[in-house]
Amino acid sequence: MTHVVIIGGGPGGYEAALVARRLGAEVTLVERDGMGGSTVLTDCVPSKTLIATSDLLHEVSRSAELGVEVPRAPRADLAAVNDRVLRLAAAQSGDIADRVASTGVRILHGTARVAEPGLVVAQTDGGEIELPADGVLIATGAHPRVSPDAQPDGERILTWEQVYALRELPEHMIVVGSGVTGAEFASAYNGLGAEVTLVSSRDRVLPGEDPDAATLIENVFTNRGMNVLGKSRMASARREGDQVVVTLTDGRTVTGSHCLLALGSIPNTAGIGLEEVGVACDDGGFIQVDKVSRTNVPGVYAAGDCTGVFMLASVAAQQGRIAMAHLLGDAVHPLDLKKVSSNIFTSPEIATVGLGHRQIEEQGLLVDTAMLPIASNPRAKMQGVHDGFVKLYARQGVGTLIGGVVVSPRASELIHTVSVAVSASLTVDHVADAFSVYPSMSGTVGEAARRLHRQV
């Protein structure tokens, strides 16, 4: 029997464990904090639960447009909200642990390091345990980056893992960093009713995303009262009593009640034996892997945020599944980043799949583009939705869909139609000919495809 040791119980680790057991391997999984890892306990699941409350408040705030009068302005009880966030995260972690254990995976609570090729040493409450392994998967994730000049104290200066300890809604939340994490939390606290200042070092929020989507979101932010400081880089953040003063590199200062640092992530790859066994990492400490999750050391694989390939739970899970399929001799489909779908949980959401504007330009591809405003959709009019669009990219001449962007409430659900089309290399005619419910938000996807038919 093949012995597999997995270090880390996040999506990359626990999904790999399930596949390895299904393929007949003996599996030991070592997790430090709890099954699900940071994705479930401190990152994705908690933040999206918080955002769900924010989205509900936003919907209620515009109820008058739909003919509904709310007697008094609703408000969020942040203590109750955060208690629910942590309760749901713990329950999800427990569900994952039960599911994984029920398949026969041995779960150890503790830390682990690769002592030598074929041997992992785990440190648990019961002491040190040696774990011989025919294959090792490293899925240790990442943690928030901080600045020497802006040290979190867990009370006023916070990382995104620490915000759930807050018991009262911040009067003025300063969010430093306008990437995905920063934009999501800025949107969430704005929706919850806090004053929000978003400090962006670039000329727009979400600089790595579709430019039309980023521009729309920034306009929505400002229209909803958020103060967006573009081309502004933080020099330091310090606490002064019950306030936080953020100093910018040009000398300006911003004062608020709280500061959330969204400065990126650092991989959890230090001190786990990678240097000793020769696993290659890049300058940022991320483990270098190929499309089937192999490192440069035979028998050692890696998955998830510690690889920096595409920091999404869905990609981590797929990397873990692919690693075990490759290790254990099952059919393998290498990771194809051209077909990944992702979502940014701002309000409205931004969902993307396949190739985007930047990749198309960089690769010099000839494409036809259709872009329709979501406000023209009859269901959107009924629901009072004004902001958003559907954009599709198809190869000129053949009409194959290679990418798409949806900006809309629940865009994470609407993108699936486009994701299936991109994954299966369907044409715009395939999508246009498929029936959509009338009225439905997804009807705009079909209409965009019909617009592209004329150009094929």
Side-chain angles (χ1 to χ4, degrees):
M1 179 177 288
T2 302
H3 295 257
V4 175
V5 176
I6 298 171
I7 306 175
Y14 75 76
E15 286 289 346
L18 294 172
V19 170
R21 281 298 297 148
R22 191 159 58 244
L23 295 176
E26 181 180 274
V27 182
T28 300
L29 187 151
V30 186
E31 166 56 36
R32 179 183 60 187
D33 300 317
M35 291 301 293
S38 62
T39 293
V40 170
L41 295 171
T42 59
D43 192 353
C44 188
V45 169
S47 65
K48 279 48 176 182
T49 307
L50 178 74
I51 288 167
T53 300
S54 173
D55 286 346
L56 177 61
L57 281 175
H58 174 66
E59 289 182 13
V60 173
S61 71
R62 57 186 180 86
S63 60
E65 181 181 347
L66 278 66
V68 177
E69 292 186 8
V70 180
R72 60 188 180 88
R75 56 177 294 276
D77 179 346
L78 195 64
V81 171
N82 282 340
D83 286 345
R84 176 175 182 266
V85 166
L86 297 175
R87 189 167 60 250
L88 288 175
Q92 178 73 0
S93 177
D95 289 346
I96 293 169
D98 290 344
R99 179 188 174 198
V100 172
S102 70
T103 67
V105 173
R106 179 190 185 192
I107 301 174
L108 299 179
H109 178 72
T111 59
R113 58 183 175 83
V114 184
E116 59 186 66
L119 179 64
V120 173
V121 176
Q123 187 67 45
T124 70
D125 292 339
E128 195 171 88
I129 302 174
E130 290 191 351
L131 302 169
D134 299 304
V136 176
L137 176 72
I138 301 166
T140 47
H143 61 276
R145 182 185 300 278
V146 298
S147 166
D149 299 310
Q151 285 295 310
D153 61 8
E155 295 179 354
R156 297 282 171 174
I157 302 176
L158 307 154
T159 69
W160 67 76
E161 295 183 337
Q162 297 172 329
V163 294
Y164 309 108
L166 294 175
R167 309 306 292 171
E168 295 182 354
L169 186 67
E171 293 180 8
H172 182 184
M173 176 67 86
I174 304 169
V175 179
V176 180
S178 63
V180 172
T181 300
E184 287 186 344
F185 276 106
S187 179
Y189 282 107
N190 176 257
L192 291 170
E195 180 182 354
V196 176
T197 296
L198 179 59
V199 178
S200 172
S201 63
R202 308 289 284 275
D203 57 352
R204 67 166 186 259
V205 302
L206 297 169
E209 304 302 321
D210 178 83
D212 293 317
T215 299
L216 185 149
I217 287 296
E218 183 163 343
N219 290 337
V220 168
F221 282 178
T222 56
N223 290 339
R224 293 180 183 173
M226 189 186 302
N227 182 24
V228 179
L229 301 179
K231 297 182 180 179
S232 300
R233 187 177 296 274
M234 179 192 72
S236 65
R238 69 182 187 279
R239 180 171 174 176
E240 294 185 356
D242 290 338
Q243 293 186 319
V244 177
V245 178
V246 174
T247 302
L248 306 180
T249 53
D250 61 8
R252 290 177 295 158
T253 60
V254 184
T255 302
S257 62
H258 297 76
C259 176
L260 171 61
L261 302 174
L263 306 175
S265 299
I266 296 176
N268 297 325
T269 53
I272 60 173
L274 301 186
E275 291 184 4
E276 289 79 356
V277 297
V279 173
C281 297
D282 66 15
D283 292 341
F286 292 98
I287 301 171
Q288 296 180 321
V289 294
D290 63 14
K291 292 183 179 181
V292 293
S293 305
R294 290 179 298 189
T295 70
N296 62 306
V297 175
V300 179
Y301 295 74
D305 287 0
C306 64
T307 69
V309 169
F310 204 142
M311 299 178 85
L312 295 173
S314 57
V315 173
Q318 191 77 326
Q319 285 181 294
R321 297 186 198 108
I322 289 170
M324 292 301 100
H326 186 271
L327 172 68
L328 299 169
D330 197 19
V332 178
H333 300 282
L335 185 66
D336 187 354
L337 296 179
K338 297 191 297 297
K339 296 181 178 180
V340 171
S341 60
S342 62
N343 195 72
I344 302 172
F345 290 84
T346 48
S347 178
E349 297 177 1
I350 303 173
T352 59
V353 66
L355 299 180
H357 176 82
R358 178 182 296 176
Q359 295 97 324
I360 289 169
E361 282 197 338
E362 289 175 349
Q363 297 178 32
L365 301 177
L366 297 177
V367 301
D368 293 317
T369 306
M371 179 172 166
L372 295 179
I374 208 74
S376 63
N377 179 287
R379 187 69 181 275
K381 293 175 183 176
M382 298 169 192
Q383 296 178 337
V385 175
H386 305 287
D387 300 307
F389 61 81
V390 171
K391 182 195 293 187
L392 300 180
Y393 297 110
R395 285 190 177 275
Q396 285 185 7
V398 293
T400 305
L401 274 171
I402 60 171
V405 183
V406 178
V407 182
S408 167
R410 297 171 183 81
S412 50
E413 310 294 343
L414 293 174
I415 197 65
H416 190 245
T417 300
V418 187
S419 182
V420 169
V422 170
S423 180
S425 299
L426 301 182
T427 67
V428 292
D429 284 350
H430 287 125
V431 177
D433 290 345
F435 281 91
S436 59
V437 172
Y438 180 89
S440 68
M441 300 287 276
S442 59
T444 299
V445 176
E447 179 58 28
R450 282 187 285 277
R451 298 288 180 92
L452 286 171
H453 169 77
R454 305 191 199 116
Q455 303 177 46
V456 174

